[in-house]
Amino acid sequence: MTLRRFASAALLLTTAVGTAGWAGLRVNTTHSIPPGVYWLTDLPVTPGDTVLACPPELPVIAEAFQRGYIGVGFCPGGYEYLFKRALAAKNDVVSIEPSGVSVNGSSIPNTAQMSADPAGRRLPIYSKIGFRLSENDVLLISNYSPRSFDGRYFGPVDSSLIRGVVIPLVTW
């Protein structure tokens, strides 16, 4: 009888979590934005919004996946979703340098590139100065965590990779 109750409770919990996820509830356990529970919306993305996005299918992302910076998930390539801020979009002028990121001439704090990860492995260098984002480009950066693996290492991404704007419900 105990096994039957446990199985019923597990099924109920799995159904509840699956339904909540399908409806838009997302839990962030990464350090890219404050950990917590977020609601996925279909609001239009504007610079400064926090978004849920799939990583681009690039060699640098495959390496990040192999190193464990990006987990297993439902995005193309089998990657997990990224929680990042959309800090720049079409027509913004961006500079990405080892010393940090600037958008339209304003430096963004906590965006300096690290030369190595905590295991001592070299990180990729992405450097491009004073370029204008195209109509479909978005720069996804975490200025919450200086250790985030984001656009400072792989550049802007196509806006089609964004799944929606996330709104915090509870953070810790």
Side-chain angles (χ1 to χ4, degrees):
M1 200 61 126
T2 305
L3 182 58
R4 183 177 284 174
R5 286 185 186 182
F6 176 77
S8 294
L11 180 61
L12 181 62
L13 180 62
T14 301
T15 302
V17 169
T19 302
W22 175 77
L25 202 62
R26 298 290 187 269
V27 177
N28 174 49
T29 59
T30 72
H31 299 288
S32 292
I33 62 173
V37 179
Y38 291 78
W39 190 256
L40 180 64
T41 72
D42 59 359
L43 294 170
V45 178
T46 58
D49 286 344
T50 302
V51 299
L52 187 71
C54 285
E57 291 190 80
L58 299 170
V60 68
I61 298 298
E63 184 175 3
F65 179 72
Q66 291 172 347
R67 290 182 175 189
Y69 309 156
I70 299 171
V72 175
F74 299 108
C75 290
Y79 306 132
E80 73 179 335
Y81 292 113
L82 304 176
F83 287 90
K84 304 291 180 193
R85 290 194 56 211
L87 286 184
K90 65 179 178 179
N91 294 322
D92 284 331
V93 176
V94 174
S95 290
I96 302 173
E97 303 177 71
S99 61
V101 175
S102 68
V103 177
N104 298 325
S106 296
S107 294
I108 308 298
N110 290 328
T111 59
Q113 295 175 0
M114 297 187 317
S115 60
D117 69 10
R121 297 171 293 195
R122 295 209 43 80
L123 287 167
I125 300 295
Y126 184 96
S127 186
K128 198 168 179 182
I129 299 171
F131 66 99
R132 187 174 301 276
L133 295 182
S134 73
E135 178 78 20
N136 295 321
D137 283 344
V138 178
L139 184 62
L140 302 178
I141 299 282
S142 168
N143 63 336
Y144 176 75
S145 171
R147 300 176 70 104
S148 179
F149 190 80
D150 54 27
R152 72 188 98 182
Y153 299 104
F154 53 80
V157 301
D158 192 275
S159 60
S160 66
L161 295 173
I162 295 176
R163 299 299 179 246
V165 174
V166 292
I167 307 296
L169 299 177
V170 177
T171 59
W172 49 86

